[in-house]
Amino acid sequence: TAVLTVARIAGTPAARVTGLRLWTSTTEGKTWHAAPVRALGSGRYAVTLPRATAGQSVSLRAWAADTGGSSIDQTIITAYRG
């Protein structure tokens, strides 16, 4: 389990985070699987990430939004390796 924090860019007006979704891939983004996400409060989320086996890579795709109307959809191919 990892703890991720979602926040706006420094210097922008404050807004409450309304959600985080996370997907993982062990096929370099060819297929994606939703990862369990649990809100901890104050923009912090606990997520369950797969353990990479030796030589395997894990890619991540995250989506988050806030009450200010901002959102982000970011993909990182080969975020970490086993």
Side-chain angles (χ1 to χ4, degrees):
T1 302
V3 175
L4 305 179
T5 301
V6 179
R8 295 188 104 192
I9 295 173
T12 61
R16 185 179 56 81
V17 176
T18 56
L20 170 69
R21 294 182 189 159
L22 188 77
W23 298 266
T24 63
S25 173
T26 55
T27 60
E28 296 186 349
K30 293 179 181 132
T31 57
W32 294 95
H33 303 282
V37 175
R38 183 172 46 93
L40 301 174
S42 300
R44 295 175 60 235
Y45 294 83
V47 298
T48 302
L49 299 175
R51 183 179 307 269
T53 59
Q56 181 184 49
S57 68
V58 177
S59 299
L60 302 175
R61 181 173 183 189
W63 174 89
D66 66 28
T67 58
S70 295
S71 65
I72 186 169
D73 186 351
Q74 184 172 11
T75 301
I76 304 170
I77 301 298
T78 310
Y80 60 94
R81 289 188 175 277

